[in-house]
Amino acid sequence: MPPNTTASSGQKPGKSGRKKGRKARLFLIVLVLAIIGGVAFGAFWTVSTVRASLPQTTGEITLDGLSGPVDVKRDSYGIPQIYASSDEDLFMAQGFVQAQDRFYEMDVRRHMTSGRLSEMFGSGQVEDDEFLRTMGWDRVAQEEYDTKLSASTKKYLQAYAKGVNAYLKGKDGKDISLEYAALGFRNDYKPQEWTPVDSVAWLKAMAWDLRGNMQDEIDRSLMTSRLGPQQIADLYPDYPYSRNQTIVQEGEYDDATQSWVQGDSTATTGSVAGTGLAGNTTAPAGLESQLSGLYDVLDDLPTAVGVNGNGIGSNSWVVDGDHTITGKPLLANDPHLSPSLPSVWYQMGLHCTTVSATCQYDVSGYTFAGMPGVIIGHNQDISWGMTNSGADVTDLYLEKLTGDGYQVDGKVKPFTTRKETIKVAGGESKTIVVRETDNGPLLSDRYDDLVKVGEKATVDSAAPDRGDGYGVSLRWTALEPGNSMDAVFELDKASNWTEFRNASASFDVPSQNLTYADTAGNIGYQLPGKIPTRGKGDGSLPAPGWDSEYNWTGYIKQAELPYEYNPDRGYIVTANQAVVDEDKYPYTLTTDWGYGTRSQRISDLIESKIKDGGKISTEDMRQMQLDNSSEIAKLLVPKLLKIDVADPDVREAQKLLEGWDYTQDADSAAAAYFNSVWRNILKLAFGNKLPKELRVEGQCLNVAPVDTTGPADEDQTVRECGQRAADQAQPDGGDRWFEVVRNIIDDEDNDWWKAPKTRLDKATDTRDELFGRAMKDARWELTAKLGKDIDTWNWGRLHRLFLKNQTLGTEGPAYVQYMLNRGPWKLSGGEATVNATGWNAAGGYGVVWVPSMRMVVNLGDLDKSKWINLTGASGHAYSAHYTDQTEIWAEGQLLDWSFSKDAVDKGTSDTLVLKP
């Protein structure tokens, strides 16, 4: 988003003003360029400023609060391994070290989660703060800390905060990072002390980006302005259970015991707690809504770890020892998130010099700067990975507002209210009133656009009088206090399957697929999470808040959630596909799974390796992570090659597809041309028929009036421009769209293949006519982008990754962006490919999400495990470790991942001793 000049005057920005470039950055930091402009700022950016913020990594530092010495050993990539003699010392040192490398990132995150961005960046952030305060992430985090978390978790959080604050002690902003030096030039901002709640609140930001199907709920509602029920159903096909395997394939739900059972007694040892009741999953009738206003608000919110729920994927799979060359399991994981600089992940090891009752941890892996513990990784006994389950944990409710209350079952209930004061750097504070219903906070109080939702939402005849419109509230599991922070520490020290499952029971939000392997040779899977059951409705459309029958009725019990343990097939794959066949499970987990393209490809790759007794190596797992095969190309290319092309230039491009192996390598001209054809097929068949709220902002076309059925000629159309950010628009080209096309591919006269004539093209009536037009359009699109000579074409020239610093790197002057940002890198891979370097087909070819890290854990010899991060350990732009892993990551290589003390010592480059 460009600087918002109206916000500083207290006015709300218009819709288009909020949208421009909003996805170019992570935290939506609006900086007024004048504060950092010209020679004055350049002079401030001195060598001494650069050097002042780089951390000390050798020698000794005295820290008040330590009970004994702590060693911090960094390898040649700056990745720290911490050795301490007590739990508190271990986590205090973790806080200190993460603050050394990443405090600016940590500080921006906590201001975002608490709705306090205006304190750092001024009045341009007030509206974002209003919305975040309305949801109240920090309030929920505070309640979790006060009432839900265990005493040991609180102790560790306090120790971590103590370590962060020990780093901050006596430092000015310019001593911490270059970004503070810039901010201080304007508003003299000074970082405050870290608190335990700051760490807990970050889980809310992570949960927001992994929240499930809210985007699909909004998009389906938006489509009702132009598409009929059957057309919308065409665009949201059923999951292909007969073709793409679910995660859990063995076991069943036992009605008598109300639990999931596998039929293997070893899989059910131990007690797993949980509460909840089943609910009716019948879909509500007649509930449709024009939700463009709500989309604007959700799209404006800070993106924590992904592209606001779109394209959020991940791969994780585990293979047991019967099928590996080591005889012990191998576990792979690569979460797909939006690229950020620095990477959202932070690699480190946390080691007790002697594991005992007073020092319980020996764990290594990936965590978030700002949080103690390890989120994904392994300890001395087990390893675990995570992918997003996609479980539906959010519902939108329309509320009938009446005076100081809202209507439920014909009676008026009073709002729960609270006041929030937003402090503004360089300006006056602003106080807002937050109103909540039993369903959650009233989002429509914050943005005028949300009022339109209540004005236009279609409801059935039993709905109360609309009056001036309905309000919109949000029910979300993450807005209820939980125990996810407990789960982090419990996972970190779990030593077997039973302890792992018990730890997962505390993992309330976000709901993740957890893969498991241990050094004893076992593998497993557990779906954890606080997943609601509903009375009426299935969560796919907004529900009527005035009817209590649509309320949540409880949560699925932990014992009822699907799992697998040592399945006969010898491997488990999770890649956002359906968890379990709908016919085998009584609850609706979601109506919007991923469609299983990546997961089935991974399963096929594993099967191809293990057939006839073959064995899988760590290198094989790495190669699988890099698989670039395009499943949609396998479906379409044979049909594209049969089309008779008259234009010699288009025929020249068509020949690129002859003999192509469907592999999307960066140097492939065929991959470039095919993906352009795919993009143009989607545009002609679907994109141009979607409402403006789903199409790319600024892209205008002539469309048929709403009351016209079918495509129209240009002289029957009206000019209409898209309104959505390029990396959020539809059709995005993901595997839902694969399935849409697959379902109609053999129906050559299907209405979706019809496209109106233009000044340059005839109307299309059949599949091959539309495909031929797409091939021509693709030829000339790539000619404009890459040149007429197809010998110079390659996928990497189109499919590039840029890494941008989260604040000044997106909103600062050009020379500052040059200093902070890195790239581009030409990447292989693509959308719905195992090597998921995602791009949005509606918006362009640029990379919008990536495997944010990759790891392969070798349970036979943990020191032979491998890992890589997207960027580097450091958040300091002039550190050697700012992006020192990126080129290796882009090449698909992995680094050695030392775990034992001997291996760590052998790889140590710098040692820092923290002394009490």
Side-chain angles (χ1 to χ4, degrees):
M1 187 191 311
N4 188 331
T5 55
T6 61
S8 60
S9 61
Q11 301 173 7
K12 290 189 177 182
K15 182 185 296 182
S16 62
R18 283 199 308 275
K19 283 192 167 187
K20 290 181 181 177
R22 64 162 61 92
K23 289 306 170 187
R25 71 235 185 269
L26 184 61
F27 295 114
L28 295 177
I29 305 306
V30 179
L31 298 178
V32 180
L33 300 188
I35 71 172
I36 52 176
V39 177
F41 182 78
F44 198 72
W45 201 289
T46 62
V47 173
S48 62
T49 303
V50 170
R51 290 176 175 171
S53 58
L54 296 179
Q56 178 182 340
T57 59
T58 60
E60 296 181 352
I61 297 177
T62 299
L63 296 187
D64 291 339
L66 286 176
S67 63
V70 176
D71 290 338
V72 181
K73 301 181 179 183
R74 294 178 183 263
D75 66 11
S76 60
Y77 288 91
I79 300 171
Q81 304 282 342
I82 299 176
Y83 291 84
S85 298
S86 72
D87 291 336
E88 290 94 325
D89 283 357
L90 192 64
F91 295 117
M92 182 178 175
Q94 183 182 14
F96 180 85
V97 170
Q98 286 192 343
Q100 280 188 306
D101 284 334
R102 301 276 195 96
F103 183 77
Y104 178 76
E105 174 194 0
M106 293 163 58
D107 199 19
V108 174
R109 281 181 179 176
R110 67 164 165 177
H111 279 79
M112 183 265 286
T113 58
S114 60
R116 293 168 47 223
L117 289 169
S118 300
E119 294 180 17
M120 293 184 76
F121 304 107
S123 58
Q125 286 302 293
V126 169
E127 287 195 344
D128 289 324
D129 283 347
E130 288 180 10
F131 199 88
L132 291 161
R133 294 286 186 97
T134 297
M135 286 204 291
W137 293 351
D138 62 329
R139 296 176 62 86
V140 180
Q142 184 68 59
E143 190 173 352
E144 285 183 1
Y145 182 78
D146 291 341
T147 66
K148 291 288 186 179
L149 298 182
S150 69
S152 60
T153 295
K154 290 183 181 180
K155 180 171 62 177
Y156 301 154
L157 288 165
Q158 291 164 2
Y160 180 89
K162 188 189 299 183
V164 176
N165 294 330
Y167 167 75
L168 294 176
K169 187 176 181 180
K171 289 184 173 65
D172 293 326
K174 67 179 184 299
D175 300 323
I176 298 172
S177 79
L178 297 174
E179 292 91 339
Y180 286 123
L183 288 175
F185 189 70
R186 178 197 182 206
N187 59 21
D188 199 30
Y189 172 82
K190 294 182 180 179
Q192 299 173 345
E193 287 197 342
W194 193 263
T195 73
V197 175
D198 292 334
S199 296
V200 179
W202 178 238
L203 283 173
K204 304 303 174 187
M206 182 175 70
W208 177 255
D209 277 355
L210 303 174
R211 61 192 178 272
N213 77 332
M214 183 182 289
Q215 193 60 65
D216 291 312
E217 185 176 345
I218 293 168
D219 286 356
R220 274 190 292 265
S221 298
L222 287 168
M223 288 177 184
T224 61
S225 67
R226 285 207 167 267
L227 304 178
Q230 183 55 52
Q231 291 172 308
I232 295 173
D234 289 346
L235 302 186
Y236 286 90
D238 293 334
Y239 185 87
Y241 290 100
S242 62
R243 188 176 70 254
N244 293 343
Q245 298 172 353
T246 58
I247 297 174
V248 174
Q249 299 171 44
E250 298 179 14
E252 61 184 6
Y253 184 83
D254 188 329
D255 289 316
T257 62
Q258 290 191 325
S259 64
W260 182 268
V261 294
Q262 191 174 347
D264 179 348
S265 60
T266 62
T268 57
T269 55
S271 172
V272 182
T275 60
L277 300 171
N280 186 323
T281 59
T282 303
L287 271 177
E288 300 170 344
S289 177
Q290 296 293 336
L291 291 178
S292 60
L294 180 56
Y295 180 84
D296 289 342
V297 174
L298 302 181
D299 200 31
D300 266 341
L301 283 181
T303 304
V305 291
V307 187
N308 271 351
N310 276 0
I312 298 297
S314 295
N315 303 319
S316 185
W317 67 94
V318 59
V319 181
D320 71 18
D322 290 342
H323 301 304
T324 68
I325 62 173
T326 65
K328 289 293 178 72
L330 295 169
L331 185 149
N333 197 187
D334 55 285
H336 307 155
L337 305 171
S338 61
S340 58
L341 180 61
S343 166
V344 70
W345 298 109
Y346 186 92
Q347 299 155 284
M348 71 188 320
L350 302 170
H351 309 278
C352 290
T353 51
T354 302
V355 176
S356 65
T358 57
C359 199
Q360 306 170 74
Y361 295 90
D362 189 13
V363 62
S364 183
Y366 298 83
T367 187
F368 303 123
M371 277 184 57
V374 166
I375 306 299
I376 295 174
H378 70 82
N379 59 30
Q380 67 271 38
D381 298 308
I382 75 167
S383 178
W384 64 98
M386 295 185 188
T387 66
N388 194 25
S389 75
D392 186 359
V393 295
T394 59
D395 277 343
L396 303 172
Y397 285 88
L398 303 175
E399 306 284 4
K400 172 59 179 176
L401 309 184
T402 305
D404 293 330
Y406 59 101
Q407 187 172 308
V408 181
D409 296 335
K411 298 180 180 179
V412 177
K413 298 189 70 172
F415 295 112
T416 300
T417 63
R418 68 178 189 272
K419 290 185 177 180
E420 296 276 353
T421 299
I422 299 169
K423 297 179 181 179
V424 181
E428 295 183 2
S429 297
K430 181 176 182 180
T431 299
I432 62 172
V433 176
V434 176
R435 300 190 293 178
E436 293 189 2
T437 72
D438 286 344
N439 294 315
L442 204 62
L443 305 184
S444 52
D445 279 353
R446 295 283 74 86
Y447 278 75
D448 291 341
D449 283 344
L450 285 177
V451 176
K452 298 176 185 177
V453 175
E455 292 174 350
K456 297 182 179 181
T458 303
V459 293
D460 60 30
S461 57
D465 178 71
R466 186 185 306 272
D468 294 331
Y470 302 125
V472 179
S473 62
L474 170 68
R475 183 97 193 249
W476 178 31
T477 53
L479 297 183
E480 302 171 14
N483 297 84
S484 293
M485 202 69 232
D486 284 340
V488 173
F489 297 109
E490 291 167 6
L491 283 171
D492 283 358
K493 64 180 179 180
S495 62
N496 55 47
W497 172 246
T498 299
E499 291 178 2
F500 171 81
R501 287 194 74 205
N502 284 333
S504 73
S506 299
F507 206 94
D508 294 321
V509 290
S511 177
Q512 298 287 285
N513 297 311
L514 297 180
T515 51
Y516 169 90
D518 63 35
T519 55
N522 303 299
I523 66 171
Y525 162 83
Q526 175 69 57
L527 175 67
K530 197 173 186 179
I531 302 173
T533 56
R534 298 165 174 88
K536 287 184 177 180
D538 62 0
S540 62
L541 290 168
W546 50 81
D547 186 346
S548 63
E549 292 190 11
Y550 288 87
N551 289 354
W552 290 3
T553 57
Y555 301 95
I556 302 173
K557 298 175 183 177
Q558 176 71 10
E560 296 178 291
L561 291 170
Y563 69 87
E564 268 192 338
Y565 186 69
N566 291 331
D568 291 339
R569 64 186 179 280
Y571 63 89
I572 300 170
V573 176
T574 76
N576 317 115
Q577 78 271 39
V579 170
V580 64
D581 195 306
E582 58 184 351
D583 294 333
K584 296 182 180 180
Y585 197 61
Y587 303 120
T588 299
L589 296 171
T590 184
T591 59
D592 296 295
W593 301 111
Y595 282 79
T597 302
R598 281 179 289 108
S599 61
Q600 193 57 46
R601 176 63 177 171
I602 295 167
S603 295
D604 291 345
L605 290 170
I606 293 172
E607 288 286 353
S608 70
K609 291 293 294 186
I610 66 176
K611 68 180 181 180
D612 302 326
K615 303 291 185 179
I616 293 175
S617 67
T618 300
E619 175 63 12
D620 291 329
M621 299 285 272
R622 182 188 74 85
Q623 291 287 354
M624 291 178 194
Q625 288 180 325
L626 302 180
D627 183 77
N628 293 319
S629 177
S630 171
E631 297 303 302
I632 191 61
K634 294 175 185 177
L635 178 68
L636 294 185
V637 166
K639 292 177 170 55
L640 295 173
L641 288 175
K642 291 179 180 179
I643 295 174
D644 186 15
V645 176
D647 186 319
D649 290 311
V650 179
R651 173 62 184 141
E652 182 185 29
Q654 184 188 36
K655 287 182 178 179
L656 291 172
L657 304 179
E658 296 177 357
W660 179 42
D661 64 358
Y662 313 120
T663 298
Q664 301 172 97
D665 292 332
D667 60 1
S668 170
Y673 181 59
F674 172 77
N675 282 320
S676 183
V677 174
W678 171 236
R679 164 174 153 85
N680 280 280
I681 287 173
L682 291 171
K683 178 181 177 182
L684 292 169
F686 310 105
N688 290 349
K689 300 165 189 174
L690 296 177
K692 61 182 180 296
E693 294 88 354
L694 273 68
R695 299 200 314 270
V696 175
E697 179 186 13
Q699 290 185 6
C700 304
L701 64 150
N702 296 328
V703 299
V706 175
D707 58 357
T708 297
T709 16
D713 290 340
E714 280 197 306
D715 55 2
Q716 298 175 296
T717 60
V718 294
R719 194 70 170 165
E720 194 176 78
C721 299
Q723 297 180 348
R724 185 167 288 188
D727 61 2
Q728 298 285 288
Q730 294 293 336
D732 61 20
D735 65 354
R736 172 164 67 88
W737 294 100
F738 291 13
E739 200 65 22
V740 169
V741 171
R742 187 186 297 275
N743 286 345
I744 64 172
I745 192 69
D746 293 323
D747 182 3
E748 297 185 35
D749 298 315
N750 191 284
D751 283 346
W752 287 110
W753 303 130
K754 301 181 187 304
K757 73 176 184 180
T758 68
R759 288 186 295 273
L760 299 176
D761 295 289
K762 296 178 181 179
T764 67
D765 293 308
T766 68
R767 180 198 69 196
D768 286 353
E769 287 176 353
L770 186 139
F771 281 11
R773 187 163 151 185
M775 291 170 71
K776 177 180 72 92
D777 290 350
R779 176 27 156 151
W780 298 116
E781 180 186 8
L782 294 197
T783 297
K785 291 180 180 295
L786 303 179
K788 188 173 181 179
D789 183 359
I790 65 172
D791 290 337
T792 68
W793 291 3
N794 64 64
W795 178 225
R797 289 180 62 195
L798 292 172
H799 193 54
R800 298 186 299 167
L801 169 67
F802 291 86
L803 291 175
K804 293 189 175 183
N805 179 277
Q806 307 310 306
T807 54
L808 294 176
T810 59
E811 297 294 343
Y815 72 90
V816 175
Q817 294 189 35
Y818 177 81
M819 293 177 182
L820 297 177
N821 299 339
R822 301 292 184 269
W825 286 267
K826 299 176 181 180
L827 298 187
S828 301
E831 180 62 33
T833 300
V834 180
N835 184 17
T837 56
W839 56 286
N840 185 298
Y845 303 98
V847 177
V848 295
W849 57 80
V850 294
S852 55
M853 61 81 159
R854 297 186 182 102
M855 74 176 195
V856 179
V857 180
N858 183 333
L859 277 300
D861 184 346
L862 292 170
D863 285 331
K864 293 183 179 178
S865 301
K866 303 285 186 177
W867 63 352
I868 196 73
N869 203 353
L870 173 63
T871 60
S874 180
H876 300 285
Y878 288 92
S879 166
H881 307 305
Y882 190 49
T883 56
D884 57 342
Q885 296 185 53
T886 307
E887 188 66 34
I888 304 167
W889 171 93
E891 293 171 352
Q893 300 302 315
L894 300 174
L895 301 175
D896 291 337
W897 181 357
S898 299
F899 179 70
S900 70
K901 190 173 186 307
D902 286 345
V904 169
D905 285 346
K906 186 178 296 185
T908 295
S909 295
D910 292 343
T911 299
L912 174 68
V913 179
L914 305 177
K915 301 180 66 176

